[in-house]
Amino acid sequence: MIEKDIIIVGGGAAGFFAAINIAEQNPDLKVAILERGKEVLTKVKVSGGGRCNVTHAEFIPQELVQNYPRGEKELLGPFHKFMTGDTIEWFEKRGVALKIEDDGRMFPVSNSSQTIIDCFLNEAEKYQVEVLMNHSVKSIQKEADLFEIETTQGVFSSKKILIATGSNPKIWKLLEDLGHTVSQPVPSLFTFNIKDERIQDIPGVVALNVEITVLNNFSPSKGEMSQRDREVLKSEGPLLITHWGMSAPSILKLSAFGAIEFAKRDYKFEIEVNFIRQAFEDCLGFLKTLKQDLAKKTVFKSTQFDLPKRLWHKLVLASNMTAETRWADLNKAQLEALAGQLTKAVFNVDGKSTFKEEFVTAGGINLKEVNFKTFGSKLHKGLYFAGEVLNIDAVTGGFNFQNAWTGAYIVAQNISK
């Protein structure tokens, strides 16, 4: 049996961040990472399209937590201890400069996730963290105050273990055997599959500022999300039309906050899209003015509201008009139909598609069983969690990594003492 002071299960973002900080803060401790695969940090590598979206430029804890459909309440305290500014400083001290993009996402200046991976591997080596690959964990048992971990390559023992395995059903099962409860995992960040004439044949078109509301009296269960989002599920922001339906931040945010309810509905529901974020009546009034001002022109060729031309064409044709219909000839029904398409177009969602390689799940260790001052288990002294193994997940934009850094750092502070 191999004895260690601290064993970390999972060689991903949270596991490495914790290992490095433990070893740096207390060099006397023997720290080992057990990774089931033949490579470490694989999710870091593909995140942000291979650029690694390290965190998000949000520096107020109360604002930052609003990006977590699950974990909002629990992360408020931890974010006061370690959050975005601390993350930036941590990386800069180790020679990795970060930059802020227009949408708030933060990446290494190098635009390469390899920069982050190299930083972690160098730091782990510097502080003599042992990284053991191809060690798939078969069992975790507790005898007195010692944890025994059996892997495919040997048996380890330690008084303290950190589980940082992300969404891993096998590890969740082992933790259930230790008495923890796991919220059933469901996909969180995904795009919507929609077959509809109005968005057919125009993939790549982006409407920059839409508002989307989920219909069907959508009222998610209490506790699944904050009061803000409980009345009705809504989001706003850019909308991308794809070959299979709709994507971009406005859709991904809905998918995160509605993850549990959408799974219950087998991903079949209706959404209402306001393409111009105006009230129906205001839009109708403006269209009536255009009927006077552009009388001789065709509606089809007079794109309005800064909409992409191809999308405008589709919405015009969906409003009982042809490409030759002139503004002067519009009747009341056609004007109302166009105002309706622009401000309250209803689409049927039928299924989902994974968003890039960034597979995120809602689900994990029940948050009531974790002490968020230490990220330690309330059931077993010496057992800690960090990252997505917990029932915490976020919208897209660097927030899932920030949860990993914060949890891992707080665990490291406690263990290294």
Side-chain angles (χ1 to χ4, degrees):
M1 191 179 296
I2 304 159
E3 283 186 31
K4 297 288 174 189
D5 295 309
I6 166 75
I7 286 173
I8 294 169
V9 183
F16 263 84
F17 203 72
I20 293 161
N21 283 295
I22 292 165
E24 183 185 28
Q25 289 168 29
N26 188 341
D28 296 335
L29 294 177
K30 285 187 287 191
V31 183
I33 294 174
L34 302 179
E35 166 57 43
R36 66 176 171 167
K38 59 180 190 293
E39 284 180 44
V40 290
L41 301 163
T42 49
K43 205 165 180 181
V44 171
K45 194 171 183 64
V46 299
S47 97
R51 297 195 298 145
C52 189
N53 185 183
V54 176
T55 186
H56 200 96
E58 176 52 76
F59 299 95
I60 300 162
Q62 287 81 351
E63 297 288 322
L64 183 59
V65 292
Q66 290 184 17
N67 296 285
Y68 296 84
R70 283 145 294 272
E72 178 181 347
K73 183 169 98 263
E74 290 80 6
L75 287 174
L76 187 58
F79 281 157
H80 277 93
K81 288 185 190 171
F82 189 93
M83 62 174 282
T84 317
D86 306 293
T87 300
I88 296 165
E89 189 186 353
W90 192 95
F91 281 104
E92 286 191 339
K93 266 187 183 168
R94 289 155 184 84
V96 179
L98 302 180
K99 59 173 179 174
I100 302 172
E101 304 212 330
D102 292 346
D103 58 5
R105 291 182 304 161
M106 297 195 69
F107 294 89
V109 170
S110 67
N111 267 332
S112 170
S113 57
Q114 197 59 44
T115 308
I116 304 298
I117 293 170
D118 292 344
C119 169
F120 283 166
L121 294 177
N122 293 338
E123 292 290 304
E125 191 178 351
K126 177 178 165 186
Y127 293 109
Q128 297 176 333
V129 172
E130 197 174 356
V131 182
L132 301 167
M133 257 83 86
N134 298 309
H135 276 267
S136 186
V137 172
K138 287 160 64 173
S139 70
I140 302 172
Q141 286 171 332
K142 197 176 186 196
E143 300 292 334
D145 63 347
L146 265 188
F147 289 96
E148 273 186 24
I149 300 165
E150 187 191 348
T151 78
T152 43
Q153 298 207 39
V155 182
F156 297 79
S157 74
S158 178
K159 284 189 173 177
K160 292 176 179 173
I161 65 170
L162 165 63
I163 308 294
T165 45
S167 305
N168 182 330
K170 199 173 130 193
I171 298 295
W172 279 331
K173 177 72 184 76
L174 297 180
L175 292 168
E176 282 180 322
D177 293 343
L178 286 172
H180 274 285
T181 47
V182 172
S183 304
Q184 195 51 44
V186 295
S188 176
L189 289 182
F190 49 84
T191 59
F192 293 175
N193 294 354
I194 299 170
K195 281 193 172 67
D196 192 294
E197 182 59 40
R198 290 166 294 176
I199 59 169
Q200 211 175 333
D201 310 321
I202 56 168
V205 165
V206 177
L208 281 175
N209 194 9
V210 307
E211 182 178 82
I212 305 175
T213 307
V214 179
L215 301 176
N216 305 358
N217 303 324
F218 190 94
S219 178
S221 56
K222 196 166 185 289
E224 185 193 324
M225 58 183 67
S226 64
Q227 188 60 43
R228 243 167 343 104
D229 296 290
R230 201 166 287 137
E231 312 323 324
V232 66
L233 197 58
K234 277 189 177 183
S235 80
E236 53 203 42
L239 172 73
L240 168 68
I241 290 164
T242 67
H243 287 287
W244 58 87
M246 293 179 180
S247 183
S250 59
I251 294 288
L252 295 170
K253 185 179 177 192
L254 281 183
S255 78
F257 278 91
I260 292 166
E261 191 65 31
F262 290 150
K264 284 180 193 163
R265 293 169 185 238
D266 196 25
Y267 306 101
K268 291 175 172 61
F269 52 94
E270 286 182 324
I271 56 171
E272 182 181 276
V273 181
N274 186 333
F275 287 105
I276 59 173
R277 289 187 68 185
Q278 281 192 19
F280 173 83
E281 294 300 337
D282 295 343
C283 174
L284 186 59
F286 182 66
L287 294 178
K288 284 176 178 169
T289 310
L290 293 177
K291 181 175 155 72
Q292 307 296 324
D293 297 351
L294 304 175
K296 291 182 177 170
K297 294 190 170 168
T298 65
V299 182
F300 191 80
K301 285 188 176 163
S302 337
T303 309
Q304 300 295 322
F305 305 104
D306 292 328
L307 281 178
K309 199 178 287 180
R310 291 193 293 161
L311 178 61
W312 172 263
H313 290 167
K314 287 281 191 181
L315 297 179
V316 167
L317 296 177
S319 307
N320 308 319
M321 301 179 209
T322 69
E324 278 69 52
T325 308
R326 296 184 316 155
W327 284 98
D329 302 331
L330 291 183
N331 58 33
K332 182 170 179 263
Q334 286 169 316
L335 282 166
E336 286 179 356
L338 183 55
Q341 290 295 344
L342 290 164
T343 62
K344 45 185 189 181
V346 175
F347 293 89
N348 281 306
V349 177
D350 186 5
K352 61 172 178 56
S353 296
T354 304
F355 175 64
K356 296 185 179 166
E357 308 88 346
E358 296 176 39
F359 188 70
V360 173
T361 56
I365 296 295
N366 187 329
L367 303 185
K368 290 188 173 69
E369 298 167 2
V370 180
N371 172 2
F372 281 91
K373 286 189 170 69
T374 63
F375 279 73
S377 161
K378 288 180 181 176
L379 311 186
H380 297 284
K381 188 172 183 279
L383 172 60
Y384 297 85
F385 307 104
E388 278 184 57
V389 68
L390 293 162
N391 186 21
I392 293 177
D393 63 287
V395 300
T396 183
F399 302 104
N400 281 302
F401 273 139
Q402 187 55 55
N403 164 44
W405 314 139
T406 296
Y409 189 84
I410 290 171
V411 168
Q413 271 192 318
N414 281 277
I415 287 177
S416 56
K417 283 174 192 167

